[in-house]
Amino acid sequence: MDKRMGSLVMIAVLMLVTRRWIGVEARPAVERRNLLANGLGMTPPMGWNTWNHFYCNINETVIRESADALVSTGLAKLGYRYVNIDDCWAEHDRDSKGYLVPRKSTFPSGIKALADYVHGKGLKLGIYSDAGSRTCSQTMPGSLGHEQKDAETFASWGIDYLKYDNCNNGDLKPMKRGDMHPALWADKLGNSWRTTMDINDSWESMVSRADQNEVYAEHARPGGWNDPDMLEVGNGGMSNDEYIVHFSLWAASKAPLLIGCDVRNLSKETLAILGNEEVIAVNQDPLGVQAKKVWTAPLSGYRTVVVLLNRSPEFRIITAQWDDIGIPPKTIVEARDLWKHATLKKRFVNKVKANVPPHACKMFLLMPLPLSE
């Protein structure tokens, strides 16, 4: 059984670290609301996280090398700037003064030195904590009862991003700590929030997380994003077509794009998916509207993105009608295939359709044309 299955209530705070970030438990609600007027997360955060590939097998060398890889592969230039340490980075117990202590066997240089290294690469460092007495892995303390102290510690280390989990919280009542649907309340506390249970590297898990996340589409907006969990692209459990579906749905859904594989050893195919600038541009579009089924969303500049998804194990002709995707009837549309990087010669009126392979998709950027065309 996944030891992190209790981690649905999870928020991520992109910390405007002026060295005085306030813990969410430490101030009254009125002041907490002001925290999110931080000018951060205006587009979904992009970066890398340790958990999906490494789980607890992390150390400062892995973090440094992964930061190096984001730069050397060109991913950092595309927007992947957060280097996020997940669970298992601290000693089992706090020190005599109640502070979290980086695990000496794996982070001997400390987190501040690691933050300095990452910042020196032009990147940002994220860290993990938990609203309970211990984290989901049970290997390190949570922040329950130590919220202010931990917030001050993270700020002093130069942390830019906090992933805040919800295991081992003592069954505190929802009215006190929020319920199991953080999309309904977490916009006052974080810049993104989990909408699903943990993902795993399989088609069924990935598609179901996309479906569950879509329910909360109305709650996403610049500064706060629905998070169906981190990317599994490149971890080996799905086909290349399935990973393209994964990345397409996350991009169109304005989900955080947090790479979950080993970026030090990317295949050409994986890098082509994660580095697709046209698909990334959909995710980072300033309009900030999350896709709804039939997996479509408006974009800036009067454009529309649509993902024609084939869930079937056989080829299917998938059709999107204009009235299903918010385009006025009889509008003539130019379609660009974002995975083939090609604008189609054919013009479309009232619908767009494609023959889609099994467990695959087509992702089109639709642009209305003047009537004269």
Side-chain angles (χ1 to χ4, degrees):
M1 181 176 177
D2 189 340
K3 61 190 173 186
R4 294 167 61 87
M5 286 299 285
S7 63
L8 176 57
V9 180
M10 180 187 297
I11 62 174
V13 182
L14 310 184
M15 295 167 67
L16 182 65
V17 181
T18 57
R19 306 301 182 262
R20 56 184 175 82
W21 183 78
I22 302 169
V24 297
E25 294 291 319
R27 296 292 181 96
V30 172
E31 294 186 49
R32 289 207 300 268
R33 281 198 293 271
N34 292 336
L35 172 66
L36 270 298
N38 58 12
L40 300 176
M42 300 311 290
T43 58
M46 297 173 60
W48 171 82
N49 179 284
T50 59
W51 184 259
N52 283 3
H53 185 84
F54 293 97
Y55 301 99
C56 278
N57 300 314
I58 58 172
N59 56 58
E60 63 182 42
T61 300
V62 167
I63 307 304
R64 289 172 185 257
E65 291 178 351
S66 297
D68 294 344
L70 287 177
V71 174
S72 65
T73 58
L75 290 172
K77 286 186 177 180
L78 297 180
Y80 294 97
R81 295 192 178 95
Y82 286 100
V83 178
N84 293 347
I85 307 168
D86 211 285
D87 204 347
C88 311
W89 59 267
E91 295 285 2
H92 187 271
D93 299 303
R94 294 174 180 268
D95 68 14
S96 59
K97 295 182 180 179
Y99 288 96
L100 291 167
V101 180
R103 190 174 294 177
K104 293 179 182 178
S105 62
T106 51
F107 293 89
S109 302
I111 303 300
K112 176 64 168 65
L114 199 54
D116 290 344
Y117 183 86
V118 169
H119 292 157
K121 295 282 180 179
L123 305 173
K124 298 178 182 296
L125 188 69
I127 208 161
Y128 169 97
S129 189
D130 187 279
S133 58
R134 298 200 70 76
T135 62
C136 294
S137 70
Q138 301 274 10
T139 65
M140 58 175 277
S143 291
L144 183 61
H146 299 268
E147 291 85 0
Q148 184 71 26
K149 185 183 292 287
D150 290 353
E152 291 170 351
T153 298
F154 298 151
S156 73
W157 289 343
I159 296 298
D160 304 290
Y161 182 116
L162 172 65
K163 176 179 174 180
Y164 203 49
D165 220 328
N166 194 46
C167 292
N168 306 303
N169 64 3
D171 296 322
L172 292 174
K173 293 181 180 179
M175 289 299 291
K176 189 169 184 178
R177 298 300 292 275
D179 63 13
M180 292 299 288
H181 302 284
L184 305 181
W185 52 264
D187 61 332
K188 296 178 177 62
L189 302 175
N191 296 97
S192 66
W193 42 83
R194 280 282 294 280
T195 55
T196 71
M197 302 301 274
D198 286 3
I199 195 171
N200 65 55
D201 190 15
S202 70
W203 169 261
E204 292 76 13
S205 176
M206 180 272 292
V207 171
S208 67
R209 298 308 178 267
D211 288 336
Q212 293 160 22
N213 185 66
E214 189 266 350
V215 173
Y216 300 101
E218 296 290 348
H219 297 276
R221 42 70 179 159
W225 309 101
N226 293 318
D227 179 10
D229 208 359
M230 298 165 291
L231 293 165
E232 291 283 5
V233 177
N235 278 328
M238 288 184 260
S239 69
N240 199 63
D241 279 348
E242 289 173 337
Y243 281 140
I244 287 173
V245 170
H246 185 6
F247 198 70
S248 300
L249 291 179
W250 262 237
S253 298
K254 305 301 186 293
L257 297 181
L258 297 174
I259 299 169
C261 66
D262 186 352
V263 289
R264 304 170 304 172
N265 297 291
L266 295 175
S267 68
K268 185 192 311 184
E269 293 77 14
T270 296
L271 184 57
I273 294 173
L274 298 174
N276 187 324
E277 295 185 52
E278 295 190 77
V279 177
I280 290 171
V282 169
N283 180 258
Q284 299 290 295
D285 185 78
L287 197 61
V289 177
Q290 179 175 329
K292 296 181 182 180
K293 295 176 183 175
V294 291
W295 299 118
T296 186
L299 301 174
S300 59
Y302 304 102
R303 301 168 302 158
T304 300
V305 65
V306 62
V307 179
L308 303 182
L309 171 62
N310 183 7
R311 301 170 185 255
S312 164
E314 301 175 354
F315 272 84
R316 288 284 187 269
I317 294 175
I318 311 294
T319 303
Q321 305 282 349
W322 278 192
D323 58 357
D324 290 329
I325 62 178
I327 296 178
K330 299 183 180 180
T331 300
I332 303 170
V333 163
E334 177 184 85
R336 182 166 178 82
D337 188 320
L338 299 187
W339 287 105
K340 290 187 176 180
H341 305 291
T343 300
L344 305 187
K345 293 181 179 180
K346 179 181 178 179
R347 300 297 187 253
F348 296 88
V349 182
N350 292 330
K351 64 184 177 182
V352 61
K353 65 180 180 179
N355 193 16
V356 184
H359 286 198
C361 72
K362 296 287 186 179
M363 189 175 192
F364 293 125
L365 188 66
L366 305 179
M367 182 69 181
L369 297 174
L371 289 177
S372 59
E373 295 194 32

